[in-house]
Every structure is written in structure tokens, then in C-alpha cells.
Amino acid sequence: LRALKEQIVGAHGNAVIVTAESATHLAATRAKTGYGGDAIVDPQNLLAGELKNRGVLNVAISEKSGYPNGMAQPAVLLLKRDGTLLYQWAIVPSLVRPS
């Protein structure tokens, strides 16, 4: 993510991560990943819900212990400053995982 962030900033963009974890975990996540950019802490998955309601991106929310409102799965959204959609991607979790 660090290398990608540098490319985004180099193109006059802004990288923002969103996490469903509580704010108490953000410092550890930053230390582990080396990401020091903007972050939105959203343990209620409000942003994911809003993106879905607007028909922009359907972020999967999975049940997971420690996440009372579920854990948002990986997704990517690229927008121009004027709101023009450039790219969207969201993982689609499988109901059956290979063993």
C-alpha cells in the first residue's frame, strides 16, 4: 500500500483507508503495514452501507468475532475529485472455502 500511495499522491490524488476495527487497533495496523496516510475508522460500516445505497460499490460485510457490526471485506474505489468513477472492485467472499 505504501508504494501505491506514493503513486496516487504523485498523480495528485489522495489515498484513504477505511477500517471496521475500532480506533484502538489503528496504531498497531499502521505499525504492521507501514501505512501512515489518512484513515477512516468505521466499526459500524456506515460508509459501506452508504456506498451500497448509492449504487456505487457493494462492500461485503462478514460476520467475525470481535466485530459487532461485521467486518468489511477488501474493496477499492477510485474517484476523480468531481466524483467521476474511475475504478471499483470489491471481493466477493465464497460461501464454501476450499480446504
Side-chain angles (χ1 to χ4, degrees):
L1 183 58
R2 283 184 292 179
L4 184 58
K5 180 182 179 274
E6 291 171 12
Q7 291 175 355
I8 293 169
V9 171
H12 306 287
N14 186 33
V16 179
I17 63 167
V18 181
T19 180
E21 291 183 322
S22 70
T24 58
H25 297 289
L26 187 57
T29 299
R30 288 184 184 280
K32 183 177 179 181
T33 64
Y35 179 79
D38 294 335
I40 297 172
V41 176
D42 184 15
Q44 294 178 324
N45 297 307
L46 297 174
L47 182 57
E50 184 63 26
L51 292 171
K52 182 177 182 178
N53 288 340
R54 291 184 184 197
V56 176
L57 185 65
N58 188 4
V59 178
I61 308 295
S62 300
E63 291 183 25
K64 182 166 177 149
S65 176
Y67 294 81
N69 298 300
M71 182 175 72
Q73 295 299 311
V76 176
L77 181 64
L78 298 175
L79 302 170
K80 284 187 169 183
R81 291 192 188 279
D82 68 3
T84 302
L85 178 65
L86 296 175
Y87 180 78
Q88 63 178 3
W89 173 86
I91 196 167
V92 179
S94 172
L95 294 177
V96 179
R97 294 185 180 169
S99 51

